[in-house]
Amino acid sequence: MLKQLRPALVMIVVFTVLTGLAYPLAMTGIAGILFPKQAAGSLVTENGKVVGSQLIGQNFASDHYFHGRPSATTGADPADPSKSVPQPYNAANSGGSNLGPSNSALIERVKGDMERLKAENPGQPVPIDLVTTSGSGLDPDISPNAAYFQVPRVAKARGMLENDLHDLVAKNVQQPAFGVIGEPRVNVLALNRALDALGKN
């Protein structure tokens, strides 16, 4: 019995060290050398201060900015840590809402978003990614249609010409990798930073 148990325990320890420690540390080290920016979280800095990440969305609520997809992430309630409350784009708690299509809370939320967006840009179809959450709740990108849809609101809030904002969105559309992998997309943080820079010029 002991002869069979000892090699099994040794193998568990060996593979735990190899796959649980050595391999992750090696990959982290290699990634840090070959892709330092990506390994550090693709952080975006401005005047030496970190303002976000290219990989994680932010909750832009002001009409002066383009908005990302709705986020269903939650966090601890400051008043009662045993409860959770909505905290959009909470990177410490990635996840979707898990609400089914027949859930009344989801239906009401989507209806409310649709009504608000239709009032924001009457007569235009509402892009689906402006009313649906993703599985992670952290999406940093929206479709070009979702960005163009928001142009009238942002132009009105900033007192800018819609044509200028259309051009700005067009400059920030990222094409699929190698022309075939993924879909055209717009990074909301990058677009809003370019928007602020445009306003300063």
Side-chain angles (χ1 to χ4, degrees):
M1 180 72 176
L2 288 176
K3 286 184 178 181
Q4 295 173 338
L5 187 59
R6 184 177 177 182
L9 292 174
V10 169
M11 291 306 292
I12 288 173
V13 171
V14 168
F15 278 102
T16 298
V17 171
L18 285 176
T19 61
L21 294 173
Y23 179 77
L25 288 173
M27 290 300 103
T28 301
I30 292 170
I33 293 169
L34 298 179
F35 308 103
K37 184 177 180 182
Q38 291 87 339
S42 298
L43 299 178
V44 177
T45 58
E46 191 171 292
N47 298 324
K49 181 182 177 183
V50 175
V51 295
S53 168
Q54 294 174 339
L55 307 175
I56 297 176
Q58 293 185 28
N59 189 29
F60 291 98
S62 168
D63 285 344
H64 289 73
Y65 290 100
F66 289 88
H67 302 164
R69 293 183 70 170
S71 173
T73 56
T74 60
D77 186 344
D80 184 356
S82 67
K83 298 179 181 178
S84 62
V85 293
Q87 287 184 1
Y89 300 101
N90 179 5
N93 193 21
S94 172
S97 69
N98 293 327
L99 299 180
S102 62
N103 184 278
S104 59
L106 176 63
I107 292 170
E108 288 302 311
R109 199 268 303 159
V110 171
K111 279 184 179 178
D113 287 351
M114 287 290 290
E115 289 173 7
R116 175 180 53 81
L117 290 166
K118 284 180 179 179
E120 178 181 303
N121 195 350
Q124 294 299 316
V126 177
I128 191 70
D129 52 328
L130 288 182
V131 295
T132 56
T133 60
S134 68
S136 71
L138 305 177
D139 281 13
D141 305 322
I142 55 175
S143 66
N145 284 343
Y148 287 123
F149 180 88
Q150 299 180 66
V151 162
R153 169 180 53 79
V154 177
K156 181 179 178 182
R158 290 196 175 234
M160 298 175 66
L161 295 175
E162 289 188 19
N163 285 343
D164 290 342
L165 288 183
H166 268 276
D167 292 343
L168 186 67
V169 170
K171 290 176 183 175
N172 281 273
V173 173
Q174 301 173 34
Q175 296 302 324
F178 308 109
V180 293
I181 301 175
E183 297 288 332
R185 64 201 183 282
V186 177
N187 185 280
V188 179
L189 176 60
L191 177 60
N192 283 330
R193 291 184 70 223
L195 179 61
D196 279 342
L198 189 67
K200 294 172 185 175
N201 291 339

